[in-house]
Amino acid sequence: MKDIERFISGFRRFRENYFGPEATHFEHLKKGQNPKTMLIGCADSRVDPAILTNCAPGDIFTVRNVANLVPPFEEDGGRHGVSAALEFAVCHLEVEHIIVLGHSGCGGINALMAGTSGCGGDGFISRWMSIAAPARERVLAELSDKDPLLQRRAAEQAAILLSLENLRSFPWIDERVASGVLSLHGWYFDISEGELLEYRPERGVFEPIT
């Protein structure tokens, strides 16, 4: 119950800051949202996009899932939560940027590399992480003789690049990127160093932003 009590106290502070007598931030947000950036991040409790970027409510349209993955474009009649969010952000909110934010020590990537799942068997985690199977295969092929920790870090970054590729498989994303009205970004948060890296396609590497 201590966590719940702390969360409720936190909401009281949030309400005082944003809905108090001198607060004006939510006046225009009450009418709707108009973020220019979408961020696809990991569900990991240590990697909160709004906290990492010091954003205010309404600044970023966020989707979080295990290992910050973007599935490829599919029209199979399935229930595609990430794809639906992408469609809303791109076609309705008309965002100008999509950021895929990965991080070090990702549990989903660790499970992918170890070949394990959550509750045993062919469960939700293993099926979801199969999206990143090409990243795993690439890392094991190119870094077969390297330390497992280095392999996992490489896989975390390779999964970001794979998600960026999958974004281009959505026709309404690809055409907007091609026309220059939408930009895609790959970011990697190094938890141990407190450092944010961005993928530089012209150099083919992740380099520190800060």
Side-chain angles (χ1 to χ4, degrees):
M1 288 299 294
K2 289 184 178 180
D3 276 349
I4 300 301
E5 292 171 359
R6 180 162 55 90
F7 299 154
I8 293 173
S9 295
F11 176 75
R12 292 193 182 106
R13 291 191 295 272
F14 165 83
R15 190 172 187 276
E16 181 179 347
N17 290 335
Y18 286 101
F19 289 88
E22 298 182 5
T24 59
H25 185 80
F26 263 87
E27 286 307 310
H28 71 282
L29 291 179
K30 293 175 183 178
K31 302 174 184 177
Q33 61 173 327
N34 187 35
K36 294 303 178 185
T37 298
M38 177 183 189
L39 188 146
I40 301 163
C42 185
D44 192 299
S45 62
R46 302 166 295 175
V47 190
D48 187 304
I51 293 176
L52 290 181
T53 58
N54 195 31
C55 281
D59 285 349
I60 51 176
F61 184 79
T62 307
V63 172
R64 299 178 69 178
N65 61 53
V66 175
N68 43 269
L69 297 180
V70 176
F73 178 76
E74 295 175 324
E75 292 182 304
D76 59 2
R79 297 172 180 174
H80 302 290
V82 175
S83 302
L86 283 168
E87 184 177 43
F88 183 73
V90 173
C91 299
H92 295 276
L93 295 177
E94 298 183 335
V95 296
E96 299 172 0
H97 303 275
I98 299 178
I99 301 168
V100 178
L101 172 64
H103 67 96
S104 62
C106 179
I109 296 297
N110 184 51
L112 174 72
M113 298 302 290
T116 59
S117 61
C119 296
D122 186 26
F124 293 110
I125 294 176
S126 59
R127 290 198 297 273
W128 174 253
M129 291 308 302
S130 68
I131 296 171
R136 178 181 187 271
E137 294 167 2
R138 176 182 173 184
V139 168
L140 292 180
E142 297 179 359
L143 303 174
S144 59
D145 59 340
K146 300 300 182 181
D147 181 84
L149 287 176
L150 190 149
Q151 290 180 347
R152 286 199 291 272
R153 183 181 178 92
E156 289 160 353
Q157 296 184 352
I160 296 172
L161 302 185
L162 179 63
S163 286
L164 291 175
E165 291 178 16
N166 287 345
L167 283 171
R168 295 296 296 266
S169 71
F170 291 80
W172 24 268
I173 290 179
D174 188 56
E175 65 183 26
R176 284 169 171 80
V177 172
S179 65
V181 299
L182 177 63
S183 299
L184 307 182
H185 310 267
W187 289 5
Y188 180 82
F189 175 50
D190 188 326
I191 294 177
S192 62
E193 299 296 328
E195 194 168 54
L196 184 64
L197 293 81
E198 181 175 18
Y199 181 68
R200 308 291 188 185
E202 68 278 6
R203 293 170 53 81
V205 295
F206 282 85
E207 294 182 339
I209 293 177
T210 55

Short mmCIF file of all heavy atoms in Angstrom, two decimals, residues 86 90 95-99 163-185 201:
data_model
loop_
_atom_site.label_atom_id
_atom_site.label_comp_id
_atom_site.label_asym_id
_atom_site.label_seq_id
_atom_site.Cartn_x
_atom_site.Cartn_y
_atom_site.Cartn_z
N LEU A 86 0.59 4.17 -34.37
CA LEU A 86 1.34 4.81 -35.45
C LEU A 86 0.39 5.49 -36.43
O LEU A 86 0.62 6.64 -36.84
CB LEU A 86 2.18 3.77 -36.19
CG LEU A 86 3.47 3.31 -35.52
CD1 LEU A 86 4.04 2.10 -36.23
CD2 LEU A 86 4.50 4.43 -35.50
N VAL A 90 0.50 9.49 -37.04
CA VAL A 90 0.96 9.98 -38.34
C VAL A 90 -0.18 10.56 -39.18
O VAL A 90 -0.04 11.65 -39.75
CB VAL A 90 1.66 8.84 -39.12
CG1 VAL A 90 2.00 9.28 -40.54
CG2 VAL A 90 2.93 8.41 -38.38
N VAL A 95 2.27 13.99 -36.75
CA VAL A 95 3.54 14.24 -36.08
C VAL A 95 4.65 14.43 -37.12
O VAL A 95 4.56 13.94 -38.25
CB VAL A 95 3.91 13.10 -35.11
CG1 VAL A 95 2.89 13.00 -33.99
CG2 VAL A 95 4.05 11.77 -35.85
N GLU A 96 5.68 15.14 -36.71
CA GLU A 96 6.80 15.43 -37.61
C GLU A 96 8.03 14.59 -37.31
O GLU A 96 8.95 14.53 -38.13
CB GLU A 96 7.14 16.92 -37.51
CG GLU A 96 5.99 17.84 -37.91
CD GLU A 96 6.27 19.29 -37.62
OE1 GLU A 96 7.37 19.60 -37.11
OE2 GLU A 96 5.38 20.13 -37.91
N HIS A 97 8.02 13.95 -36.14
CA HIS A 97 9.16 13.12 -35.74
C HIS A 97 8.66 11.83 -35.08
O HIS A 97 7.67 11.87 -34.33
CB HIS A 97 10.07 13.85 -34.75
CG HIS A 97 10.60 15.15 -35.26
ND1 HIS A 97 11.73 15.24 -36.03
CD2 HIS A 97 10.15 16.42 -35.11
CE1 HIS A 97 11.97 16.50 -36.34
NE2 HIS A 97 11.02 17.24 -35.79
N ILE A 98 9.34 10.72 -35.36
CA ILE A 98 9.11 9.48 -34.62
C ILE A 98 10.46 9.03 -34.07
O ILE A 98 11.42 8.85 -34.83
CB ILE A 98 8.51 8.37 -35.50
CG1 ILE A 98 7.15 8.79 -36.06
CG2 ILE A 98 8.36 7.08 -34.68
CD1 ILE A 98 6.53 7.74 -36.99
N ILE A 99 10.53 8.86 -32.77
CA ILE A 99 11.75 8.42 -32.10
C ILE A 99 11.56 7.00 -31.59
O ILE A 99 10.57 6.71 -30.92
CB ILE A 99 12.10 9.34 -30.90
CG1 ILE A 99 12.28 10.78 -31.36
CG2 ILE A 99 13.34 8.83 -30.18
CD1 ILE A 99 12.34 11.78 -30.21
N SER A 163 13.55 -1.67 -35.94
CA SER A 163 12.28 -0.97 -35.78
C SER A 163 12.19 0.22 -36.73
O SER A 163 11.11 0.52 -37.27
CB SER A 163 12.10 -0.52 -34.33
OG SER A 163 11.78 -1.61 -33.50
N LEU A 164 13.30 0.90 -36.95
CA LEU A 164 13.31 2.01 -37.90
C LEU A 164 13.02 1.50 -39.32
O LEU A 164 12.29 2.13 -40.09
CB LEU A 164 14.66 2.73 -37.87
CG LEU A 164 14.97 3.53 -36.60
CD1 LEU A 164 16.38 4.08 -36.65
CD2 LEU A 164 13.97 4.67 -36.40
N GLU A 165 13.59 0.35 -39.65
CA GLU A 165 13.29 -0.27 -40.95
C GLU A 165 11.82 -0.65 -41.05
O GLU A 165 11.17 -0.42 -42.09
CB GLU A 165 14.16 -1.52 -41.15
CG GLU A 165 15.64 -1.25 -41.33
CD GLU A 165 16.42 -2.54 -41.48
OE1 GLU A 165 15.80 -3.60 -41.73
OE2 GLU A 165 17.65 -2.50 -41.34
N ASN A 166 11.29 -1.22 -39.98
CA ASN A 166 9.88 -1.62 -40.00
C ASN A 166 8.95 -0.43 -40.13
O ASN A 166 7.87 -0.54 -40.72
CB ASN A 166 9.55 -2.43 -38.74
CG ASN A 166 10.13 -3.82 -38.77
OD1 ASN A 166 10.55 -4.31 -39.83
ND2 ASN A 166 10.18 -4.48 -37.62
N LEU A 167 9.35 0.70 -39.58
CA LEU A 167 8.53 1.91 -39.73
C LEU A 167 8.35 2.26 -41.21
O LEU A 167 7.27 2.66 -41.64
CB LEU A 167 9.17 3.09 -38.99
CG LEU A 167 9.01 3.12 -37.47
CD1 LEU A 167 9.89 4.22 -36.87
CD2 LEU A 167 7.56 3.32 -37.06
N ARG A 168 9.41 2.09 -41.98
CA ARG A 168 9.33 2.41 -43.41
C ARG A 168 8.47 1.43 -44.19
O ARG A 168 8.13 1.69 -45.35
CB ARG A 168 10.75 2.45 -44.02
CG ARG A 168 11.65 3.54 -43.49
CD ARG A 168 11.17 4.94 -43.81
NE ARG A 168 11.13 5.25 -45.23
CZ ARG A 168 12.10 5.84 -45.91
NH1 ARG A 168 13.23 6.20 -45.28
NH2 ARG A 168 11.96 6.11 -47.20
N SER A 169 8.10 0.29 -43.57
CA SER A 169 7.23 -0.66 -44.25
C SER A 169 5.77 -0.21 -44.25
O SER A 169 4.95 -0.74 -45.00
CB SER A 169 7.33 -2.06 -43.61
OG SER A 169 6.74 -2.09 -42.31
N PHE A 170 5.44 0.79 -43.42
CA PHE A 170 4.09 1.37 -43.42
C PHE A 170 4.03 2.39 -44.56
O PHE A 170 4.78 3.38 -44.53
CB PHE A 170 3.79 2.03 -42.08
CG PHE A 170 3.64 1.06 -40.94
CD1 PHE A 170 4.76 0.53 -40.31
CD2 PHE A 170 2.38 0.67 -40.50
CE1 PHE A 170 4.63 -0.37 -39.27
CE2 PHE A 170 2.24 -0.23 -39.45
CZ PHE A 170 3.36 -0.76 -38.84
N PRO A 171 3.16 2.20 -45.54
CA PRO A 171 3.19 3.08 -46.72
C PRO A 171 3.00 4.55 -46.41
O PRO A 171 3.65 5.41 -47.02
CB PRO A 171 2.05 2.53 -47.59
CG PRO A 171 1.21 1.68 -46.70
CD PRO A 171 2.13 1.15 -45.65
N TRP A 172 2.11 4.87 -45.46
CA TRP A 172 1.87 6.28 -45.14
C TRP A 172 2.98 6.89 -44.30
O TRP A 172 3.07 8.10 -44.18
CB TRP A 172 0.51 6.46 -44.44
CG TRP A 172 -0.01 5.24 -43.73
CD1 TRP A 172 -0.84 4.29 -44.26
CD2 TRP A 172 0.26 4.84 -42.38
NE1 TRP A 172 -1.11 3.33 -43.30
CE2 TRP A 172 -0.46 3.64 -42.15
CE3 TRP A 172 1.02 5.38 -41.35
CZ2 TRP A 172 -0.43 2.95 -40.93
CZ3 TRP A 172 1.06 4.72 -40.13
CH2 TRP A 172 0.34 3.52 -39.93
N ILE A 173 3.85 6.06 -43.73
CA ILE A 173 5.07 6.58 -43.09
C ILE A 173 6.14 6.77 -44.15
O ILE A 173 6.81 7.81 -44.21
CB ILE A 173 5.55 5.65 -41.97
CG1 ILE A 173 4.59 5.70 -40.78
CG2 ILE A 173 6.97 6.02 -41.53
CD1 ILE A 173 4.97 4.78 -39.62
N ASP A 174 6.32 5.77 -44.99
CA ASP A 174 7.37 5.82 -46.01
C ASP A 174 7.20 7.02 -46.93
O ASP A 174 8.17 7.72 -47.25
CB ASP A 174 7.36 4.52 -46.82
CG ASP A 174 8.55 4.43 -47.76
OD1 ASP A 174 9.69 4.52 -47.29
OD2 ASP A 174 8.33 4.29 -48.97
N GLU A 175 5.98 7.29 -47.34
CA GLU A 175 5.76 8.41 -48.27
C GLU A 175 6.01 9.75 -47.60
O GLU A 175 6.50 10.69 -48.24
CB GLU A 175 4.36 8.35 -48.87
CG GLU A 175 3.22 8.54 -47.88
CD GLU A 175 1.84 8.40 -48.53
OE1 GLU A 175 1.73 7.70 -49.55
OE2 GLU A 175 0.89 9.00 -48.00
N ARG A 176 5.71 9.83 -46.31
CA ARG A 176 5.95 11.09 -45.58
C ARG A 176 7.44 11.30 -45.33
O ARG A 176 7.94 12.43 -45.37
CB ARG A 176 5.16 11.11 -44.27
CG ARG A 176 3.67 11.38 -44.47
CD ARG A 176 2.88 11.12 -43.19
NE ARG A 176 1.50 11.58 -43.28
CZ ARG A 176 0.52 10.91 -43.89
NH1 ARG A 176 0.79 9.74 -44.49
NH2 ARG A 176 -0.70 11.39 -43.93
N VAL A 177 8.17 10.21 -45.04
CA VAL A 177 9.61 10.33 -44.88
C VAL A 177 10.25 10.74 -46.21
O VAL A 177 11.13 11.61 -46.26
CB VAL A 177 10.21 9.00 -44.38
CG1 VAL A 177 11.74 9.05 -44.40
CG2 VAL A 177 9.73 8.71 -42.96
N ALA A 178 9.81 10.11 -47.29
CA ALA A 178 10.37 10.40 -48.61
C ALA A 178 10.12 11.85 -49.01
O ALA A 178 10.96 12.48 -49.68
CB ALA A 178 9.77 9.46 -49.65
N SER A 179 8.99 12.42 -48.60
CA SER A 179 8.66 13.79 -48.96
C SER A 179 9.26 14.82 -48.01
O SER A 179 9.16 16.03 -48.24
CB SER A 179 7.14 13.98 -49.03
OG SER A 179 6.56 13.81 -47.74
N GLY A 180 9.84 14.33 -46.90
CA GLY A 180 10.53 15.23 -45.98
C GLY A 180 9.67 15.84 -44.89
O GLY A 180 10.15 16.71 -44.15
N VAL A 181 8.42 15.40 -44.75
CA VAL A 181 7.57 15.98 -43.72
C VAL A 181 7.61 15.17 -42.42
O VAL A 181 7.05 15.58 -41.40
CB VAL A 181 6.10 16.10 -44.20
CG1 VAL A 181 6.02 17.01 -45.40
CG2 VAL A 181 5.52 14.72 -44.52
N LEU A 182 8.28 14.02 -42.45
CA LEU A 182 8.39 13.17 -41.27
C LEU A 182 9.83 12.66 -41.16
O LEU A 182 10.40 12.20 -42.15
CB LEU A 182 7.42 11.99 -41.37
CG LEU A 182 7.46 10.95 -40.24
CD1 LEU A 182 7.07 11.58 -38.90
CD2 LEU A 182 6.53 9.78 -40.57
N SER A 183 10.39 12.75 -39.96
CA SER A 183 11.76 12.29 -39.71
C SER A 183 11.75 11.16 -38.69
O SER A 183 10.98 11.19 -37.72
CB SER A 183 12.63 13.44 -39.18
OG SER A 183 12.70 14.49 -40.12
N LEU A 184 12.62 10.17 -38.89
CA LEU A 184 12.74 9.03 -37.98
C LEU A 184 14.08 9.11 -37.25
O LEU A 184 15.11 9.45 -37.85
CB LEU A 184 12.66 7.71 -38.77
CG LEU A 184 11.45 7.53 -39.69
CD1 LEU A 184 11.49 6.16 -40.35
CD2 LEU A 184 10.14 7.71 -38.92
N HIS A 185 14.05 8.78 -35.95
CA HIS A 185 15.24 8.90 -35.12
C HIS A 185 15.42 7.63 -34.27
O HIS A 185 14.43 7.11 -33.74
CB HIS A 185 15.14 10.10 -34.18
CG HIS A 185 14.74 11.38 -34.86
ND1 HIS A 185 15.66 12.29 -35.33
CD2 HIS A 185 13.51 11.88 -35.15
CE1 HIS A 185 15.02 13.31 -35.88
NE2 HIS A 185 13.71 13.09 -35.78
N PRO A 201 23.03 7.75 -39.34
CA PRO A 201 23.03 6.88 -40.52
C PRO A 201 24.20 7.13 -41.47
O PRO A 201 24.67 6.21 -42.14
CB PRO A 201 21.68 7.19 -41.18
CG PRO A 201 21.26 8.50 -40.62
CD PRO A 201 21.83 8.57 -39.25
#
